[in-house]
Amino acid sequence: MINAVSCGGIVIFRGKILVLYKNFKGRYEGWVLPKGTVEQGEAFTDTALREVREESGARATIMKYIGTSHYTFEVPEGEVDKQVHWYLMMGSSYYSKPQWEEYFIDSGYYKYHEAYHLLKFTNERQILEKGYSTYMEMKKSGLWVPQK
């Protein structure tokens, strides 16, 4: 069993959620949230911000830790046990540019119900649901404001 840790972001700008479309040689196709592997010595928050920036070009600020998702998958070297730490983030604009080197061919901000139904993986839909609920609570309480 190979253990892996990643971090990612639920990036929201003006109520819309950032999602990315990945297509790896036709074998992997689908919409996902930005996330990636923690580098040695890197804080989880730094990983989440870096991965959002690398995969989408988006600039964001972490507003709150949302939680983790957990899943396993097979690679030629064996089974990977992956844990992903998720952060709710405020985007600085609608700008996004998919990272072609990682096979992201499209990106954009979508209304909650659109993003929810676009996402390929159940665990990402679940974390989006939790993140968006937290966003709505923060907004209602006046806590969704840019940090200085």
Side-chain angles (χ1 to χ4, degrees):
M1 177 81 59
I2 302 163
N3 292 311
V5 179
S6 290
C7 298
I10 299 161
V11 182
I12 300 178
F13 182 72
R14 295 187 179 165
K16 293 187 177 179
I17 297 114
L18 175 66
V19 293
L20 306 165
Y21 188 80
K22 191 168 194 169
N23 184 345
F24 180 69
K25 300 179 182 177
R27 290 184 313 185
Y28 176 91
E29 291 184 89
W31 291 93
V32 295
L33 296 169
K35 66 181 174 303
T37 304
V38 177
E39 293 180 357
Q40 188 172 358
E42 189 174 41
F44 287 178
T45 53
D46 293 338
T47 300
L49 290 167
R50 176 181 55 77
E51 288 293 341
V52 164
R53 180 71 190 258
E54 286 177 1
E55 292 185 351
S56 71
R59 293 184 185 272
T61 303
I62 292 177
M63 301 301 286
K64 190 169 188 172
Y65 179 74
I66 295 299
T68 61
S69 58
H70 185 262
Y71 57 96
T72 59
F73 59 94
E74 294 288 330
V75 295
E77 299 79 21
E79 186 177 43
V80 176
D81 182 50
K82 184 158 224 171
Q83 183 179 50
V84 183
H85 295 271
W86 293 100
Y87 295 87
L88 181 60
M89 300 181 184
M90 178 186 287
S92 64
S93 72
Y94 283 125
Y95 176 81
S96 69
K97 182 182 177 187
Q99 183 184 26
W100 285 84
E101 299 81 10
E102 292 292 324
Y103 308 102
F104 292 109
I105 60 171
D106 197 2
S107 64
Y109 286 82
Y110 293 86
K111 292 177 183 176
Y112 169 75
H113 71 278
E114 295 169 328
Y116 182 89
H117 291 290
L118 283 172
L119 289 174
K120 178 174 181 154
F121 299 109
T122 301
N123 62 347
E124 289 196 4
R125 286 192 297 271
Q126 290 169 340
I127 206 74
L128 173 60
E129 193 171 6
K130 186 175 181 182
Y132 195 76
S133 175
T134 301
Y135 157 73
M136 293 301 287
E137 290 169 14
M138 290 179 76
K139 191 173 175 187
K140 186 177 181 181
S141 302
L143 300 173
W144 190 261
V145 292
Q147 297 177 345
K148 297 180 177 170

